[in-house]
Amino acid sequence: MAKFVDVASIGSYFESLSDPRHTRNRKHLLVDIAVIAVCAVICGCDGPTAIHRWAKNRESWLALHLTLPNGIPSRDCIRRLLMTLKPEAFQRVFQAWICDAIPVDVNNPHRLVAIDGKACRGSHDKAKGLGNLHIVSAWASEEGIALGQVATDAKSNEITAIPQLLNQIDLAGTLITIDAMGCQKEIVKQIVTGKGDCVIAVKDNQPKLAAAIQSFFSDHMERDLEDLRYQYHETRDDGHGRIDERAYLLAKVPSDFAPGKEWPWVKAIGYSVRVTWHADGTESEEMRYYLSTCDLSGKRFGEAVRGHWGIESMHWVLDVNFREDEHRTRERTLGNNLSWLRRFAVTLLKRHPDKDSLRGKMMSCMINTDYLTQVLSLQPL
């Protein structure tokens, strides 16, 4: 059963956090600073200075819910705490909050969880040889919930970050979707061992597997799929000046599948085809191949493939509404924690039932504390 969470009770989740500050530097309570940061980021604040500025203007409202023994913490105080809080421990607090407010539906097998990486493009520092901060996130696609993230210093390191992120997630009963970067034997094995399943894109980074899947379907297409047993689903979307028709096909792995010994967890292989008719009369086609560790219906396979777009949409929201790519935060722990606060803010804002845009909801939170209180309640859809 869902537990109602109001502003006053949010702080209780942060009480489990170990305070990294020296005792002589604890003029302000960790709980107060954390709740202030959450509220301010929901309102669109992009860093410690903006968080402090927002809190000073909302001091009377914050005093109704927080202790604030020495008033509003300074910009430097907020910055120091977010620089020293361990990201994984910080995220666990929010995960507990989510679990209480939105219990997992036990009647929904194969909960879709998308994993993907995003670069914070403004976080590089050429003078210090510091590249962009990359964040690998887990996103519950159908529920619109941020589940966790791991930071890495290079896109190539996403392969090592994904297993760390999987360790933070309850894999049982989930259907993980990952792009071709995550098409690795150890990652697939980890998911299956954790009692989960996955649908992963297959491209040329696994040349033998990709070639075998392409060859299998090419051979059967030449015979119009006459002797192939498969699951199939089609969709048609009309909007944004174009028409998209998509087809999804999933078939069990044949007994003579060449990469089968190296990929024993793979139970099915499939493809998706998208044909697009553009407003100018042109037509384009895209085909992608996938592996699956379970046999799904054509509809559910299509939902998994399309569901992965949810995390890419979330990344777009971060750039458009929170301007994440413009943030110049170079300190890695601070950047990681601020990035997580933005992702959690997207979760809260998306779940509010108001039909306004996400940007509109942010503005409403900024000017109306009653509206902010509603958003913080993490309402079930």
Side-chain angles (χ1 to χ4, degrees):
M1 180 180 293
K3 175 181 175 182
F4 179 73
V5 180
D6 58 12
V7 181
S9 64
I10 291 172
S12 63
Y13 292 94
F14 294 96
E15 291 174 355
S16 62
L17 271 178
S18 176
D19 196 328
R21 300 171 298 173
H22 193 281
T23 51
R24 66 171 176 266
N25 294 328
R26 297 180 185 178
K27 182 179 176 182
H28 300 278
L29 300 179
L30 180 152
V31 169
D32 289 355
I33 299 171
V35 174
I36 288 171
V38 171
C39 293
V41 171
I42 292 171
C43 294
C45 297
D46 60 0
T49 300
I51 292 171
H52 168 75
R53 186 179 295 124
W54 175 86
K56 287 295 289 184
N57 284 280
R58 290 296 184 194
E59 185 169 3
S60 59
W61 179 76
L62 290 167
L64 298 175
H65 308 288
L66 304 176
T67 305
L68 301 178
N70 292 289
I72 298 299
S74 68
R75 173 198 66 180
D76 291 337
C77 177
I78 296 169
R79 177 182 172 82
R80 281 194 298 270
L81 181 65
L82 291 177
M83 281 177 57
T84 52
L85 278 175
K86 293 182 178 179
E88 189 173 341
F90 193 43
Q91 291 172 39
R92 278 199 298 268
V93 170
F94 294 88
Q95 290 159 359
W97 180 356
I98 290 170
C99 286
D100 281 348
I102 313 170
V104 174
D105 184 0
V106 295
N107 297 316
N108 179 24
H110 284 142
R111 176 196 199 194
L112 283 182
V113 175
I115 292 179
D116 199 14
K118 179 187 181 299
C120 300
R121 301 190 184 282
S123 60
H124 66 279
D125 189 343
K126 290 185 178 180
K128 296 182 179 179
L130 197 64
N132 292 327
L133 177 67
H134 286 262
I135 302 291
V136 182
S137 309
W139 180 257
S141 305
E142 295 165 316
E143 300 150 292
I145 299 173
L147 299 179
Q149 69 180 40
V150 171
T152 175
D153 283 329
K155 182 173 178 60
S156 60
N157 290 342
E158 286 184 20
I159 295 174
T160 57
I162 290 173
Q164 296 176 45
L165 183 55
L166 291 173
N167 285 331
Q168 299 179 23
I169 302 171
D170 182 6
L171 296 173
T174 63
L175 182 60
I176 306 291
T177 64
I178 317 177
D179 63 16
M181 177 71 79
C183 188
Q184 308 290 331
K185 298 183 186 71
E186 290 304 313
I187 289 175
V188 175
K189 179 181 178 181
Q190 182 180 358
I191 293 170
V192 174
T193 302
K195 299 182 179 179
D197 283 299
C198 59
V199 170
I200 300 180
V202 180
K203 292 185 179 179
D204 292 339
N205 62 325
Q206 294 291 347
K208 292 182 181 178
L209 180 62
I213 295 175
Q214 292 176 29
S215 176
F216 174 81
F217 285 116
S218 294
D219 290 345
H220 281 283
M221 284 177 187
E222 289 179 0
R223 301 190 296 274
D224 294 325
L225 306 177
E226 289 179 354
D227 54 349
L228 180 66
R229 296 182 63 183
Y230 58 88
Q231 302 288 341
Y232 187 76
H233 184 62
E234 287 184 351
T235 63
R236 179 185 174 93
D237 300 310
D238 186 352
H240 305 288
R242 66 175 187 266
I243 298 173
D244 287 318
E245 288 189 353
R246 294 178 172 87
Y248 306 94
L249 186 149
L250 189 70
K252 289 184 178 180
V253 171
S255 57
D256 59 350
F257 189 60
K261 291 183 179 179
E262 295 183 31
W263 298 83
W265 318 276
V266 178
K267 304 303 181 185
I269 52 178
Y271 66 78
S272 68
V273 178
R274 181 177 70 177
V275 180
T276 302
W277 287 272
H278 302 275
D280 61 2
T282 59
E283 178 184 330
S284 60
E285 181 177 317
E286 180 183 38
M287 188 168 189
R288 294 185 179 184
Y289 296 97
Y290 297 87
L291 64 80
S292 174
T293 59
C294 60
D295 190 22
L296 302 167
S297 68
K299 184 175 184 292
R300 193 55 174 165
F301 173 57
E303 289 170 347
V305 172
R306 287 293 301 276
H308 193 78
W309 179 82
I311 194 169
E312 296 172 356
S313 175
M314 187 264 289
H315 290 166
W316 181 86
V317 165
L318 289 171
D319 285 337
V320 172
N321 293 287
F322 290 88
R323 301 188 179 279
E324 184 168 83
D325 270 354
E326 297 178 17
H327 294 179
R328 298 293 293 160
T329 305
R330 275 84 176 265
E331 206 288 321
R332 287 327 200 199
T333 301
L334 175 62
N336 193 348
N337 285 330
L338 285 172
S339 177
W340 171 252
L341 285 171
R342 289 191 287 269
R343 281 157 175 77
F344 192 73
V346 172
T347 294
L348 292 168
L349 291 162
K350 277 183 172 290
R351 295 190 70 85
H352 190 277
D354 196 341
K355 298 302 182 183
D356 200 355
S357 67
L358 192 136
R359 185 66 183 174
K361 293 179 183 180
M362 291 169 64
M363 292 180 66
S364 295
C365 288
M366 173 69 79
I367 62 179
N368 185 343
T369 53
D370 289 339
Y371 193 95
L372 174 59
T373 300
Q374 294 172 21
V375 169
L376 287 166
S377 69
L378 196 57
Q379 300 176 44
L381 294 176

